[in-house]
Amino acid sequence: MAGTAPTKTAAEKTGAHTDEAAALIDGARTRIDALDDRIIGLVQERMAVSAVIQEARITSGGRRINLSREMEILGQYRDALGKPGTSLAMTLLELCRGRA
């Protein structure tokens, strides 16, 4: 059929050179996809909890953001994951700050 790409083998889809490696990679990718779904759900949950905290802080006369708390979080991620952990934490904090 014109315009139809041929079906790729498992090895071609994964970049592996053996069927055994392709099967291992395929299974691991399925697990990663499931982990990513869980991570996204946890981030969304974190965003909701953060919104509750911000609302309570603002209605009590405080600021929307607590910079000392954010520094604690940055340190925690850096300690656990190294320098890239700081970037990850910054992204999470940005997502959880909500709209100003």
Coordinates of all heavy atoms in Angstrom, one line a residue:
M1 N 0.8 -1.2 0.0 CA 0.0 0.0 0.0 C 0.9 1.3 0.0 O 1.8 1.4 0.8 CB -0.8 0.0 1.3 CG -2.2 -0.3 1.1 SD -3.0 -0.2 2.8 CE -4.6 0.2 2.3
A2 N 0.5 2.2 -0.8 CA 1.3 3.4 -0.9 C 1.0 4.3 0.4 O -0.1 4.4 0.8 CB 0.9 4.2 -2.1
G3 N 2.1 4.9 0.9 CA 1.9 5.7 2.1 C 1.9 5.0 3.4 O 1.8 5.7 4.4
T4 N 1.9 3.7 3.4 CA 1.9 3.0 4.7 C 3.3 2.5 5.0 O 3.9 1.9 4.3 CB 0.9 1.7 4.6 OG1 -0.3 2.2 4.2 CG2 0.9 1.0 5.9
A5 N 3.7 2.9 6.2 CA 5.0 2.6 6.7 C 5.0 1.1 7.1 O 4.1 0.6 7.6 CB 5.5 3.4 7.8
P6 N 6.1 0.4 6.8 CA 6.2 -1.0 7.2 C 6.2 -1.1 8.7 O 6.7 -0.2 9.4 CB 7.5 -1.5 6.6 CG 8.3 -0.3 6.3 CD 7.3 0.8 6.1
T7 N 5.7 -2.2 9.3 CA 5.7 -2.4 10.7 C 7.1 -2.7 11.2 O 7.8 -3.5 10.6 CB 4.7 -3.6 11.0 OG1 3.4 -3.3 10.5 CG2 4.6 -3.8 12.5
K8 N 7.5 -2.0 12.2 CA 8.8 -2.2 12.8 C 8.9 -3.4 13.7 O 7.9 -3.7 14.4 CB 9.2 -1.0 13.6 CG 9.5 0.3 12.7 CD 10.0 1.4 13.6 CE 10.3 2.6 12.8 NZ 10.9 3.7 13.6
T9 N 10.0 -4.1 13.7 CA 10.2 -5.2 14.6 C 10.4 -4.6 16.0 O 10.7 -3.4 16.2 CB 11.4 -6.0 14.2 OG1 12.6 -5.2 14.4 CG2 11.3 -6.5 12.8
A10 N 10.3 -5.5 17.0 CA 10.5 -5.0 18.4 C 11.9 -4.4 18.5 O 12.2 -3.4 19.2 CB 10.3 -6.2 19.4
A11 N 12.9 -5.1 17.9 CA 14.3 -4.6 18.0 C 14.4 -3.2 17.4 O 15.1 -2.4 17.9 CB 15.2 -5.6 17.3
E12 N 13.7 -3.0 16.2 CA 13.8 -1.7 15.6 C 13.1 -0.6 16.5 O 13.6 0.5 16.5 CB 13.1 -1.7 14.2 CG 13.9 -2.5 13.2 CD 13.1 -2.8 11.9 OE1 11.9 -2.9 11.9 OE2 13.8 -2.8 10.9
K13 N 12.0 -1.0 17.1 CA 11.3 0.0 18.0 C 12.2 0.4 19.2 O 12.1 1.5 19.7 CB 10.0 -0.6 18.5 CG 8.9 -0.7 17.4 CD 7.7 -1.3 18.0 CE 6.7 -1.7 17.0 NZ 5.5 -2.4 17.6
T14 N 13.0 -0.5 19.7 CA 13.7 -0.2 20.9 C 15.2 0.2 20.7 O 15.8 0.7 21.6 CB 13.7 -1.5 21.8 OG1 14.4 -2.5 21.1 CG2 12.3 -1.9 22.2
G15 N 15.7 -0.1 19.5 CA 17.1 0.2 19.2 C 18.0 -1.0 19.7 O 19.2 -0.9 19.6
A16 N 17.4 -2.0 20.2 CA 18.1 -3.2 20.6 C 18.6 -4.0 19.4 O 18.0 -3.9 18.3 CB 17.3 -4.1 21.6
H17 N 19.6 -4.8 19.6 CA 20.1 -5.6 18.5 C 19.7 -7.1 18.6 O 20.0 -7.9 17.8 CB 21.6 -5.5 18.4 CG 22.0 -4.1 18.0 ND1 22.0 -3.7 16.7 CD2 22.5 -3.1 18.7 CE1 22.4 -2.5 16.6 NE2 22.7 -2.0 17.8
T18 N 19.0 -7.5 19.7 CA 18.5 -8.8 19.9 C 17.1 -8.8 20.4 O 16.7 -7.8 21.0 CB 19.4 -9.6 20.9 OG1 19.2 -9.0 22.2 CG2 20.9 -9.6 20.6
D19 N 16.4 -9.9 20.1 CA 15.0 -9.9 20.5 C 14.9 -9.9 22.1 O 14.0 -9.4 22.6 CB 14.3 -11.2 19.9 CG 14.1 -11.0 18.4 OD1 14.0 -9.9 18.0 OD2 13.9 -12.1 17.8
E20 N 15.9 -10.6 22.7 CA 15.9 -10.6 24.2 C 16.0 -9.2 24.8 O 15.3 -8.9 25.7 CB 17.0 -11.5 24.7 CG 16.9 -13.0 24.3 CD 17.3 -13.3 22.9 OE1 18.1 -12.5 22.3 OE2 16.9 -14.4 22.4
A21 N 16.9 -8.5 24.2 CA 17.1 -7.1 24.7 C 15.9 -6.3 24.4 O 15.5 -5.5 25.3 CB 18.4 -6.5 24.1
A22 N 15.3 -6.5 23.3 CA 14.1 -5.7 22.9 C 13.0 -6.0 23.8 O 12.2 -5.1 24.3 CB 13.7 -6.0 21.5
A23 N 12.8 -7.3 24.2 CA 11.8 -7.7 25.2 C 12.0 -7.0 26.5 O 11.1 -6.5 27.2 CB 11.7 -9.2 25.3
L24 N 13.2 -7.0 27.0 CA 13.6 -6.4 28.3 C 13.3 -4.9 28.2 O 12.7 -4.4 29.2 CB 15.1 -6.7 28.6 CG 15.5 -6.1 29.9 CD1 16.0 -7.2 30.8 CD2 16.5 -5.0 29.8
I25 N 13.7 -4.3 27.2 CA 13.5 -2.8 27.0 C 12.0 -2.5 27.0 O 11.5 -1.6 27.6 CB 14.2 -2.3 25.8 CG1 15.7 -2.3 26.0 CG2 13.8 -0.9 25.4 CD1 16.6 -2.1 24.8
D26 N 11.3 -3.3 26.2 CA 9.8 -3.1 26.1 C 9.1 -3.2 27.4 O 8.3 -2.3 27.8 CB 9.2 -4.1 25.1 CG 7.8 -3.7 24.7 OD1 7.5 -2.5 24.4 OD2 7.0 -4.6 24.7
G27 N 9.5 -4.2 28.2 CA 8.9 -4.4 29.5 C 9.3 -3.2 30.5 O 8.5 -2.7 31.2
A28 N 10.5 -2.8 30.4 CA 11.0 -1.7 31.2 C 10.3 -0.4 30.8 O 10.0 0.4 31.7 CB 12.5 -1.5 31.1
R29 N 10.1 -0.2 29.6 CA 9.4 1.0 29.1 C 7.9 1.0 29.6 O 7.4 2.1 30.0 CB 9.4 1.1 27.6 CG 10.7 1.6 27.1 CD 10.7 1.7 25.6 NE 12.0 2.3 25.1 CZ 12.4 2.3 23.8 NH1 11.5 1.9 22.9 NH2 13.5 2.8 23.5
T30 N 7.3 -0.1 29.6 CA 5.9 -0.2 30.2 C 5.9 0.2 31.6 O 5.1 0.9 32.1 CB 5.4 -1.7 30.0 OG1 5.4 -2.0 28.6 CG2 4.0 -1.8 30.6
R31 N 7.0 -0.3 32.4 CA 7.1 0.1 33.8 C 7.3 1.6 34.0 O 6.7 2.2 34.8 CB 8.2 -0.7 34.4 CG 8.3 -0.5 35.9 CD 9.1 -1.5 36.6 NE 9.2 -1.2 38.0 CZ 10.3 -1.3 38.8 NH1 11.4 -1.7 38.3 NH2 10.2 -0.9 40.0
I32 N 8.2 2.1 33.1 CA 8.4 3.6 33.2 C 7.2 4.4 32.9 O 6.9 5.4 33.5 CB 9.6 4.0 32.2 CG1 10.9 3.6 32.8 CG2 9.5 5.5 31.9 CD1 12.1 3.8 31.9
D33 N 6.4 3.9 31.9 CA 5.1 4.6 31.6 C 4.2 4.6 32.8 O 3.6 5.6 33.1 CB 4.4 4.0 30.4 CG 5.2 4.2 29.1 OD1 6.0 5.1 29.0 OD2 4.9 3.5 28.1
A34 N 4.1 3.5 33.5 CA 3.3 3.4 34.7 C 3.8 4.3 35.8 O 3.1 5.0 36.5 CB 3.2 1.9 35.2
L35 N 5.1 4.3 36.0 CA 5.7 5.2 37.0 C 5.5 6.7 36.6 O 5.1 7.5 37.5 CB 7.3 5.0 37.0 CG 7.7 3.7 37.7 CD1 9.2 3.4 37.5 CD2 7.4 3.7 39.2
D36 N 5.6 7.0 35.3 CA 5.3 8.4 34.9 C 3.9 8.8 35.2 O 3.6 9.9 35.7 CB 5.6 8.6 33.4 CG 7.1 8.7 33.1 OD1 7.9 9.0 34.0 OD2 7.5 8.5 31.9
D37 N 2.9 7.9 35.0 CA 1.5 8.2 35.3 C 1.4 8.4 36.8 O 0.7 9.4 37.2 CB 0.6 7.0 34.9 CG 0.5 6.8 33.4 OD1 0.7 7.8 32.7 OD2 0.0 5.8 33.0
R38 N 2.1 7.7 37.7 CA 2.0 7.9 39.1 C 2.6 9.2 39.5 O 2.1 9.9 40.3 CB 2.7 6.7 39.8 CG 1.9 5.4 39.8 CD 2.6 4.2 40.4 NE 3.2 4.5 41.7 CZ 4.2 3.7 42.1 NH1 4.6 2.6 41.5 NH2 4.7 3.9 43.3
I39 N 3.8 9.5 38.9 CA 4.5 10.8 39.2 C 3.6 12.0 38.8 O 3.5 12.9 39.6 CB 5.8 10.8 38.4 CG1 6.8 9.8 39.0 CG2 6.4 12.3 38.5 CD1 8.1 9.6 38.2
I40 N 3.0 11.9 37.7 CA 2.1 13.0 37.2 C 0.9 13.1 38.2 O 0.6 14.3 38.6 CB 1.6 12.8 35.8 CG1 2.7 12.9 34.8 CG2 0.4 13.7 35.5 CD1 2.4 12.4 33.4
G41 N 0.4 12.0 38.7 CA -0.7 12.1 39.7 C -0.2 12.7 41.0 O -1.0 13.5 41.6
L42 N 1.0 12.3 41.4 CA 1.5 12.9 42.6 C 1.8 14.4 42.5 O 1.5 15.1 43.5 CB 2.8 12.1 43.0 CG 2.6 10.7 43.5 CD1 3.9 10.0 43.7 CD2 1.8 10.7 44.9
V43 N 2.3 14.8 41.4 CA 2.5 16.2 41.1 C 1.2 17.0 41.2 O 1.1 18.0 41.8 CB 3.3 16.5 39.8 CG1 3.3 18.0 39.5 CG2 4.7 15.9 39.9
Q44 N 0.2 16.4 40.6 CA -1.2 17.1 40.6 C -1.7 17.1 42.0 O -2.3 18.1 42.4 CB -2.1 16.3 39.7 CG -1.8 16.5 38.2 CD -2.6 15.6 37.3 OE1 -3.0 14.5 37.7 NE2 -2.8 16.1 36.1
E45 N -1.5 16.1 42.8 CA -1.9 16.1 44.2 C -1.1 17.1 45.0 O -1.7 17.9 45.8 CB -1.7 14.7 44.8 CG -2.1 14.6 46.2 CD -2.0 13.1 46.8 OE1 -1.7 12.2 46.0 OE2 -2.1 13.0 48.0
R46 N 0.2 17.2 44.7 CA 1.0 18.2 45.4 C 0.6 19.6 45.1 O 0.5 20.5 45.9 CB 2.5 18.0 45.0 CG 3.5 18.9 45.8 CD 4.9 18.8 45.2 NE 5.9 19.2 46.1 CZ 6.1 20.5 46.4 NH1 5.3 21.5 45.9 NH2 7.1 20.9 47.2
M47 N 0.2 19.8 43.8 CA -0.3 21.2 43.4 C -1.6 21.5 44.2 O -1.7 22.7 44.6 CB -0.6 21.2 41.9 CG 0.7 21.1 41.1 SD 0.4 20.8 39.3 CE -0.5 22.3 38.8
A48 N -2.5 20.5 44.4 CA -3.7 20.8 45.1 C -3.4 21.1 46.6 O -4.0 22.0 47.1 CB -4.6 19.6 45.0
V49 N -2.5 20.4 47.2 CA -2.2 20.6 48.6 C -1.5 22.0 48.8 O -1.8 22.7 49.7 CB -1.3 19.5 49.2 CG1 -0.8 19.8 50.5 CG2 -2.1 18.1 49.2
S50 N -0.7 22.3 47.8 CA 0.0 23.6 47.9 C -1.0 24.7 47.7 O -0.9 25.7 48.4 CB 1.0 23.7 46.7 OG 1.7 24.9 46.8
A51 N -2.0 24.5 46.9 CA -3.1 25.6 46.8 C -3.8 25.8 48.1 O -4.1 26.9 48.4 CB -4.0 25.2 45.7
V52 N -4.0 24.7 48.8 CA -4.7 24.8 50.1 C -3.8 25.6 51.1 O -4.3 26.5 51.8 CB -5.0 23.4 50.7 CG1 -5.5 23.5 52.2 CG2 -6.1 22.8 49.9
I53 N -2.5 25.3 51.1 CA -1.6 26.0 52.0 C -1.5 27.5 51.6 O -1.6 28.4 52.5 CB -0.2 25.4 51.9 CG1 -0.2 24.0 52.5 CG2 0.9 26.2 52.6 CD1 1.0 23.1 52.2
Q54 N -1.4 27.8 50.3 CA -1.3 29.2 49.9 C -2.6 30.0 50.3 O -2.5 31.1 50.7 CB -1.1 29.3 48.4 CG 0.3 28.8 48.0 CD 0.5 28.9 46.5 OE1 0.0 29.7 45.8 NE2 1.2 27.9 45.9
E55 N -3.7 29.3 50.1 CA -5.0 30.0 50.4 C -5.1 30.3 51.9 O -5.4 31.4 52.3 CB -6.2 29.1 50.0 CG -7.5 29.7 50.3 CD -7.8 31.0 49.5 OE1 -7.2 31.2 48.4 OE2 -8.7 31.8 50.0
A56 N -4.7 29.4 52.7 CA -4.7 29.6 54.2 C -3.7 30.7 54.6 O -4.0 31.6 55.4 CB -4.3 28.3 54.9
R57 N -2.5 30.7 53.9 CA -1.5 31.7 54.3 C -2.0 33.1 53.8 O -1.9 34.1 54.6 CB -0.2 31.4 53.5 CG 0.9 32.2 54.0 CD 2.3 32.0 53.3 NE 2.7 30.6 53.5 CZ 2.9 29.7 52.4 NH1 2.7 30.2 51.2 NH2 3.3 28.5 52.6
I58 N -2.6 33.2 52.7 CA -3.1 34.5 52.1 C -4.2 35.0 53.0 O -4.3 36.2 53.3 CB -3.4 34.4 50.6 CG1 -2.2 34.2 49.8 CG2 -4.2 35.6 50.2 CD1 -2.4 33.7 48.4
T59 N -5.2 34.1 53.3 CA -6.4 34.6 54.0 C -6.0 35.0 55.5 O -6.7 35.8 56.1 CB -7.5 33.6 54.0 OG1 -7.0 32.3 54.6 CG2 -8.1 33.3 52.6
S60 N -4.9 34.5 55.9 CA -4.5 34.9 57.3 C -3.6 36.1 57.3 O -3.1 36.5 58.3 CB -3.7 33.7 58.0 OG -2.4 33.5 57.4
G61 N -3.4 36.7 56.1 CA -2.6 37.9 55.9 C -1.2 37.7 55.5 O -0.4 38.6 55.5
G62 N -0.8 36.5 55.3 CA 0.6 36.2 54.9 C 0.8 36.3 53.4 O -0.1 36.6 52.6
R63 N 2.0 36.0 53.0 CA 2.4 36.0 51.6 C 2.0 34.7 50.9 O 1.9 33.6 51.5 CB 3.9 36.2 51.4 CG 4.3 37.5 52.1 CD 5.8 37.7 52.0 NE 6.0 38.9 51.2 CZ 7.2 39.3 50.8 NH1 8.3 38.5 51.0 NH2 7.3 40.3 50.1
R64 N 1.9 34.7 49.6 CA 1.5 33.5 48.8 C 2.6 32.5 48.8 O 2.4 31.3 48.9 CB 1.2 33.9 47.4 CG 0.7 32.8 46.5 CD 0.3 33.3 45.1 NE 1.3 33.9 44.4 CZ 2.2 33.3 43.6 NH1 2.1 32.0 43.4 NH2 3.1 33.9 42.9
I65 N 3.9 33.0 48.8 CA 5.1 32.1 48.8 C 5.9 32.3 50.1 O 6.1 33.4 50.5 CB 5.9 32.5 47.6 CG1 5.1 32.2 46.3 CG2 7.2 31.7 47.6 CD1 5.8 32.7 45.0
N66 N 6.4 31.2 50.6 CA 7.2 31.2 51.7 C 8.6 30.7 51.3 O 8.9 29.6 51.1 CB 6.7 30.2 52.8 CG 7.5 30.1 54.0 OD1 8.7 30.4 54.0 ND2 6.9 29.7 55.1
L67 N 9.5 31.7 51.0 CA 10.8 31.5 50.4 C 11.7 30.6 51.3 O 12.4 29.8 50.8 CB 11.5 32.8 50.1 CG 10.8 33.6 49.0 CD1 11.6 34.9 48.8 CD2 10.7 32.9 47.7
S68 N 11.6 30.7 52.6 CA 12.5 29.8 53.4 C 12.0 28.4 53.3 O 12.9 27.5 53.2 CB 12.4 30.3 54.9 OG 11.1 30.1 55.4
R69 N 10.7 28.1 53.2 CA 10.3 26.8 52.9 C 10.7 26.3 51.6 O 11.1 25.1 51.4 CB 8.7 26.7 53.0 CG 8.1 25.4 52.6 CD 8.5 24.3 53.6 NE 7.7 23.1 53.2 CZ 8.2 21.9 53.3 NH1 9.3 21.6 54.0 NH2 7.5 20.9 52.9
E70 N 10.7 27.1 50.6 CA 11.1 26.7 49.2 C 12.6 26.4 49.3 O 13.0 25.4 48.6 CB 10.8 27.8 48.2 CG 9.3 27.9 47.9 CD 9.0 28.7 46.7 OE1 10.0 29.3 46.0 OE2 7.8 28.8 46.3
M71 N 13.4 27.1 50.0 CA 14.8 26.8 50.1 C 15.0 25.4 50.8 O 15.9 24.7 50.4 CB 15.6 27.9 50.9 CG 15.6 29.2 50.2 SD 16.3 29.2 48.5 CE 18.0 28.7 48.9
E72 N 14.2 25.1 51.8 CA 14.3 23.7 52.4 C 14.0 22.6 51.3 O 14.7 21.6 51.3 CB 13.3 23.6 53.5 CG 13.5 24.4 54.8 CD 12.4 24.3 55.7 OE1 11.7 23.2 55.7 OE2 12.2 25.2 56.5
I73 N 13.0 22.9 50.5 CA 12.6 21.9 49.5 C 13.8 21.8 48.5 O 14.1 20.6 48.1 CB 11.3 22.3 48.9 CG1 10.2 22.2 49.9 CG2 11.0 21.4 47.6 CD1 8.9 22.8 49.5
L74 N 14.3 22.9 48.1 CA 15.4 22.8 47.1 C 16.6 22.0 47.7 O 17.2 21.2 47.0 CB 15.9 24.2 46.7 CG 14.9 25.1 45.9 CD1 15.4 26.5 45.8 CD2 14.8 24.5 44.5
G75 N 16.9 22.3 48.9 CA 18.0 21.5 49.6 C 17.7 20.0 49.7 O 18.6 19.2 49.5
Q76 N 16.5 19.7 50.0 CA 16.1 18.3 50.1 C 16.3 17.6 48.8 O 16.8 16.5 48.7 CB 14.6 18.2 50.6 CG 14.1 16.8 50.7 CD 12.6 16.8 51.1 OE1 12.0 17.8 51.2 NE2 12.1 15.6 51.3
Y77 N 15.8 18.2 47.7 CA 15.9 17.6 46.4 C 17.4 17.5 45.9 O 17.8 16.5 45.3 CB 15.1 18.3 45.3 CG 13.6 17.8 45.3 CD1 12.8 18.2 46.3 CD2 13.2 17.1 44.3 CE1 11.5 17.8 46.3 CE2 11.9 16.6 44.3 CZ 11.0 17.0 45.3 OH 9.7 16.6 45.3
R78 N 18.1 18.6 46.2 CA 19.6 18.6 45.9 C 20.3 17.5 46.6 O 21.1 16.7 46.0 CB 20.2 19.9 46.2 CG 21.7 20.0 45.8 CD 22.3 21.3 46.3 NE 22.3 21.3 47.8 CZ 21.6 22.2 48.5 NH1 20.9 23.2 47.9 NH2 21.6 22.1 49.8
D79 N 20.0 17.3 47.9 CA 20.7 16.3 48.7 C 20.4 14.9 48.2 O 21.2 14.0 48.2 CB 20.3 16.4 50.2 CG 20.9 17.7 50.8 OD1 21.8 18.4 50.2 OD2 20.4 18.1 51.9
A80 N 19.1 14.7 47.8 CA 18.7 13.4 47.4 C 19.1 13.0 45.9 O 19.4 11.9 45.6 CB 17.2 13.2 47.5
L81 N 19.1 14.1 45.1 CA 19.3 13.8 43.6 C 20.5 14.5 43.0 O 20.7 14.4 41.8 CB 18.0 14.2 42.9 CG 16.7 13.5 43.4 CD1 15.5 14.1 42.7 CD2 16.8 12.0 43.1
G82 N 21.2 15.3 43.8 CA 22.3 16.0 43.2 C 21.9 17.3 42.5 O 20.7 17.7 42.7
K83 N 22.8 17.9 41.8 CA 22.4 19.2 41.1 C 21.2 19.1 40.3 O 20.4 20.1 40.3 CB 23.6 19.6 40.3 CG 23.5 21.0 39.8 CD 24.7 21.5 39.0 CE 24.5 22.9 38.4 NZ 25.6 23.3 37.7
P84 N 20.9 18.1 39.5 CA 19.7 18.0 38.7 C 18.4 18.1 39.6 O 17.4 18.5 39.2 CB 19.8 16.7 37.9 CG 21.2 16.4 37.8 CD 21.8 16.9 39.1
G85 N 18.6 17.6 40.9 CA 17.5 17.6 41.8 C 17.0 19.0 42.1 O 15.8 19.3 42.3
T86 N 17.9 20.0 42.1 CA 17.6 21.4 42.3 C 16.7 21.9 41.1 O 15.7 22.5 41.4 CB 18.8 22.3 42.4 OG1 19.7 21.8 43.4 CG2 18.5 23.7 42.6
S87 N 17.0 21.5 39.9 CA 16.2 21.9 38.8 C 14.8 21.3 38.8 O 13.8 21.9 38.6 CB 16.9 21.5 37.5 OG 18.1 22.2 37.3
L88 N 14.8 20.0 39.2 CA 13.5 19.3 39.4 C 12.6 20.0 40.4 O 11.4 20.3 40.2 CB 13.7 17.9 39.7 CG 12.5 17.0 40.0 CD1 11.5 17.0 38.8 CD2 12.9 15.6 40.4
A89 N 13.3 20.3 41.6 CA 12.5 21.0 42.6 C 12.0 22.4 42.2 O 10.9 22.8 42.5 CB 13.4 21.2 43.9
M90 N 12.8 23.1 41.5 CA 12.4 24.4 41.0 C 11.2 24.3 40.1 O 10.3 25.1 40.1 CB 13.5 25.1 40.2 CG 14.6 25.7 41.1 SD 14.0 27.0 42.2 CE 13.5 28.2 41.1
T91 N 11.2 23.3 39.2 CA 10.0 23.0 38.3 C 8.8 22.7 39.1 O 7.7 23.2 38.9 CB 10.4 21.9 37.3 OG1 11.5 22.3 36.5 CG2 9.2 21.6 36.4
L92 N 9.0 21.8 40.1 CA 7.8 21.5 41.0 C 7.3 22.7 41.7 O 6.1 22.9 41.8 CB 8.3 20.5 42.1 CG 8.1 19.0 41.7 CD1 8.7 18.1 42.8 CD2 6.7 18.6 41.4
L93 N 8.2 23.5 42.3 CA 7.8 24.7 43.0 C 7.0 25.7 42.1 O 6.0 26.3 42.4 CB 9.0 25.4 43.6 CG 9.6 24.6 44.8 CD1 10.9 25.3 45.2 CD2 8.7 24.6 46.0
E94 N 7.5 25.8 40.9 CA 6.9 26.7 39.9 C 5.5 26.2 39.6 O 4.5 27.0 39.5 CB 7.7 26.8 38.6 CG 7.2 27.7 37.6 CD 8.0 27.8 36.4 OE1 9.2 27.5 36.4 OE2 7.5 28.2 35.3
L95 N 5.3 24.9 39.4 CA 4.0 24.3 39.1 C 3.1 24.5 40.3 O 1.9 24.7 40.1 CB 4.2 22.8 38.9 CG 4.7 22.4 37.5 CD1 5.0 20.9 37.5 CD2 3.6 22.7 36.4
C96 N 3.6 24.4 41.5 CA 2.8 24.5 42.7 C 2.5 25.9 43.2 O 1.7 26.0 44.1 CB 3.4 23.6 43.8 SG 3.4 21.9 43.4
R97 N 3.2 26.8 42.7 CA 2.9 28.2 43.1 C 1.6 28.7 42.7 O 1.0 29.7 43.3 CB 4.0 29.2 42.6 CG 5.3 29.0 43.4 CD 6.3 30.0 42.8 NE 7.6 29.7 43.4 CZ 8.8 29.8 42.8 NH1 8.8 30.0 41.5 NH2 9.9 29.5 43.4
G98 N 1.0 28.2 41.6 CA -0.2 28.7 41.1 C 0.0 30.0 40.5 O 1.1 30.5 40.2
R99 N -1.1 30.7 40.3 CA -1.1 32.0 39.6 C -1.0 33.1 40.7 O -1.7 33.1 41.7 CB -2.3 32.2 38.7 CG -2.3 31.2 37.6 CD -3.5 31.3 36.8 NE -3.6 30.2 35.8 CZ -3.6 30.4 34.5 NH1 -3.6 31.6 34.0 NH2 -3.6 29.3 33.8
A100 N -0.2 34.1 40.4 CA -0.1 35.2 41.3 C -1.3 36.1 41.3 O -2.0 36.1 40.3 CB 1.2 36.0 40.9

